[in-house]
Amino acid sequence: MKLNSFKYFILIIIIASCQDLTDIDDEDYYNEAVINYKNEQYDQAIAKLDIILDGNNDSAIAIKALYLRGFSYYLQDKNKLAYQDYLEGIEIAESFGQVNVISKLNNEIGLIFLEAELYEQSLSHFLLALDQSGETTLQNKGHYNYNIGRSLRRLNRLDEGIEYFLTAIDINEQLRNYDALSNIYIEIGLLQQKVGNHSLALEHFQEIIKISQLSKNPNLFKWKAYNNIGNIYQLAGDFLQAESYFNKSLEYENDDSQLSVTYNNLGKICNKKGEYKKAWQYFKKSLAYNSKNVEINELGITNNALRKTFEKLNQTDSLLHYTMLINDMALSAVETRTWLEDEDEKIALLTKYQDYVREKAEKDQYAKTSWLMAFIMTFIFVSGVLSMRLWKIYNYKSTEKGHALIKNSNEMVYLLDMFKNEKEEMKKVMDQKLRA
């Protein structure tokens, strides 16, 4: 009996040791995943986190692994997978009472909804993040206030939004976080612009230019500031000043700047000035930049602006082609957000893509049918005329009149050759049209 008890004791020690070894292995995998993440090797990071989560879904390290894997998915635009990891992370964190972690995860979920333009959902998660922030860092609280303000601005709840932005400014001024301050000034400038306070909007955008040198990405913030100043002048009808600021913003091209926005703005100005060919050149550049990082709203602006351009250039086929191209580009982005949407929600950009395809097919078929009918009618007419001529030659009752029709001995051969050549020419024309 004592021997059996000793065996059980040894077994418990071995199991405990194995558990400790497993925890050490998981920590090693996690640390390696962090290194991969910092080197932007997201697939490698996810592979190591998968190993941790395959056999360990209810521990403190699982929460960290889910958070990091979710964020890696988010950076790869795999938002559905990120969303699932964040939700699972919240569930485990709740069992451990890790309120600050739950706060961070709710903020990350809010960002997914914000990017999907589902602002009510993003607002609810950002508010949860702030409510649960507790003893989190001041930097996190500043970030949560900023995100709440962003959601409220897009919901047109501007009075509420400005309060959260001002709180975020107070926090980030204490922290001397100039990147955060620049982003907040952009949001406040856009808010003031929306209500028609253009002079206040200009002040905020000019402030960004001043403090951008203290930020980590001055070119990005200068591009945003000059682009938004150009927008204000465009709204005021001062196209010369607007064009000047848009061109100024192009001087600060970098990987993060959305130059598709600036080129769209320049295209719209050219439309208003009646310079439609020049406008089209800008819209082509806008589409080229947007293809790298699809922005649905910007594609909608391009689509509407192209309509005016091609109508003025009288190029309806080109309008159809590029509208379909834009819809193709938008489809992938739209699919990434459908899992978050109600079925009734409509996306304004998509102008019934399938209807365009059907209409174009009908037009092509109509064109082919029209050419075929024209060929048949022409062939019947020519055949009728030549047949009547030959009939008169062979069957005319009056011998004298019949002979009078044949002016020389070669006329019969000439008529038959003419009939044959006409058939061949018509066949060539028809073959070319059908191939086209």
Side-chain angles (χ1 to χ4, degrees):
M1 188 72 179
K2 286 183 179 178
L3 186 60
N4 287 337
S5 297
F6 180 73
K7 285 180 179 177
Y8 285 126
F9 177 70
I10 295 296
L11 181 62
I12 290 167
I13 291 174
I14 290 170
I15 291 171
S17 300
C18 290
Q19 184 64 45
D20 289 342
L21 287 171
T22 303
D23 290 343
I24 292 169
D25 286 344
D26 286 346
E27 283 291 347
D28 287 341
Y29 281 127
Y30 180 78
N31 291 332
E32 289 172 14
V34 170
I35 293 169
N36 290 139
Y37 163 77
K38 287 179 178 177
N39 292 327
E40 299 183 5
Q41 298 168 339
Y42 303 123
D43 287 332
Q44 292 93 319
I46 290 168
K48 291 182 175 68
L49 296 168
D50 286 344
I51 295 170
I52 298 171
L53 294 167
D54 281 345
N56 191 356
N57 288 321
D58 57 355
S59 64
I61 196 167
I63 301 170
K64 295 196 297 182
L66 285 165
Y67 196 136
L68 185 58
R69 190 174 74 173
F71 201 69
S72 298
Y73 281 137
Y74 172 72
L75 293 173
Q76 291 181 315
D77 294 324
K78 298 175 181 177
N79 287 351
K80 185 175 183 178
L81 294 172
Y83 180 66
Q84 291 168 345
D85 275 359
Y86 291 152
L87 285 181
E88 191 176 345
I90 287 174
E91 188 177 345
I92 301 171
E94 284 173 345
S95 67
F96 280 83
Q98 295 187 2
V99 181
N100 286 345
V101 175
I102 297 169
S103 171
K104 290 179 183 178
L105 288 166
N106 269 308
N107 182 68
E108 300 302 337
I109 292 173
L111 289 172
I112 290 175
F113 281 110
L114 185 69
E115 287 187 8
E117 300 174 11
L118 301 171
Y119 303 123
E120 289 287 358
Q121 293 94 321
S122 70
L123 177 61
S124 65
H125 282 281
F126 290 140
L127 287 169
L128 274 173
L130 186 61
D131 289 341
Q132 298 161 338
S133 58
E135 296 178 2
T136 192
T137 63
L138 200 57
Q139 183 174 349
N140 282 341
K141 288 183 179 179
H143 196 52
Y144 301 159
N145 275 282
Y146 165 66
N147 284 333
I148 292 168
R150 291 166 76 194
S151 297
L152 288 168
R153 180 178 76 78
R154 286 156 178 81
L155 288 167
N156 286 323
R157 292 162 60 179
L158 305 181
D159 288 339
E160 297 170 74
I162 196 74
E163 291 178 17
Y164 285 98
F165 284 138
L166 292 175
T167 303
I169 284 176
D170 288 340
I171 291 171
N172 285 291
E173 281 180 343
Q174 292 178 53
L175 298 171
R176 296 184 180 179
N177 187 339
Y178 295 104
D179 289 80
L181 283 170
S182 297
N183 280 321
I184 298 165
Y185 284 135
I186 286 168
E187 289 289 333
I188 294 178
L190 292 171
L191 188 152
Q192 297 290 0
Q193 178 182 317
K194 193 162 193 174
V195 297
N197 295 333
H198 291 169
S199 57
L200 280 174
L202 279 172
E203 284 180 24
H204 283 91
F205 296 142
Q206 294 287 358
E207 185 65 24
I208 294 166
I209 296 170
K210 291 178 188 175
I211 67 172
S212 62
Q213 288 303 118
L214 301 170
S215 72
K216 294 175 183 176
N217 197 342
N219 278 9
L220 172 63
F221 292 119
K222 284 180 181 178
W223 165 75
K224 287 183 176 181
Y226 284 118
N227 188 75
N228 283 311
I229 292 170
N231 270 328
I232 290 177
Y233 283 110
Q234 182 178 203
L235 289 170
D238 189 343
F239 300 139
L240 190 62
Q241 280 276 50
E243 194 170 4
S244 169
Y245 278 103
F246 288 142
N247 282 318
K248 183 73 175 173
S249 73
L250 293 176
E251 295 176 16
Y252 299 99
E253 177 182 356
N254 63 91
D255 292 338
D256 297 318
S257 61
Q258 297 169 333
L259 294 188
S260 59
V261 177
T262 306
Y263 282 120
N264 249 341
N265 288 332
L266 285 165
K268 288 191 292 182
I269 285 178
C270 289
N271 267 347
K272 289 174 181 175
K273 291 164 66 178
E275 299 170 353
Y276 300 109
K277 290 184 178 179
K278 190 176 177 182
W280 169 226
Q281 296 304 315
Y282 284 129
F283 290 135
K284 276 199 291 190
K285 289 181 180 179
S286 175
L287 287 173
Y289 276 97
N290 207 345
S291 63
K292 300 173 189 174
N293 182 22
V294 175
E295 292 287 333
I296 295 179
N297 182 55
E298 207 56 37
L299 286 174
I301 294 170
T302 307
N303 194 40
N304 292 332
L306 280 175
R307 185 174 301 280
K308 181 175 181 180
T309 302
F310 284 125
E311 283 174 356
K312 291 294 183 180
L313 292 172
N314 196 26
Q315 295 178 10
T316 52
D317 287 342
S318 295
L319 173 61
L320 177 64
H321 170 77
Y322 281 99
T323 297
M324 289 167 66
L325 171 66
I326 287 168
N327 286 333
D328 275 340
M329 290 169 63
L331 279 175
S332 59
V334 170
E335 285 166 3
T336 62
R337 57 173 285 188
T338 52
W339 57 275
L340 291 170
E341 293 179 334
D342 296 330
E343 290 182 4
D344 317 350
E345 190 173 351
K346 303 297 179 185
I347 297 171
L349 167 67
L350 291 180
T351 50
K352 297 183 181 176
Y353 176 75
Q354 292 178 345
D355 288 347
Y356 272 117
V357 175
R358 178 180 53 76
E359 287 173 14
K360 185 158 179 59
E362 287 175 357
K363 284 183 179 179
D364 290 344
Q365 186 58 44
Y366 177 77
K368 288 179 181 179
T369 305
S370 299
W371 279 109
L372 182 62
M373 290 301 298
F375 169 76
I376 292 171
M377 295 302 294
T378 306
F379 181 76
I380 291 171
F381 174 76
V382 172
S383 299
V385 171
L386 293 175
S387 297
M388 182 63 70
R389 184 79 168 163
L390 291 171
W391 180 82
K392 285 183 177 180
I393 292 169
Y394 281 113
N395 300 297
Y396 204 82
K397 291 181 180 179
S398 169
T399 305
E400 291 181 5
K401 288 183 179 181
H403 284 297
L405 287 171
I406 304 175
K407 298 176 182 176
N408 57 62
S409 59
N410 295 324
E411 185 166 350
M412 180 66 73
V413 177
Y414 168 76
L415 287 170
L416 289 171
D417 285 345
M418 181 175 154
F419 184 68
K420 180 182 176 184
N421 291 338
E422 189 67 30
K423 281 174 66 180
E424 288 177 354
E425 285 299 318
M426 292 298 290
K427 185 176 183 304
K428 285 180 185 176
V429 171
M430 191 58 199
D431 285 344
Q432 287 174 356
K433 295 298 180 184
L434 289 175
R435 279 197 297 271

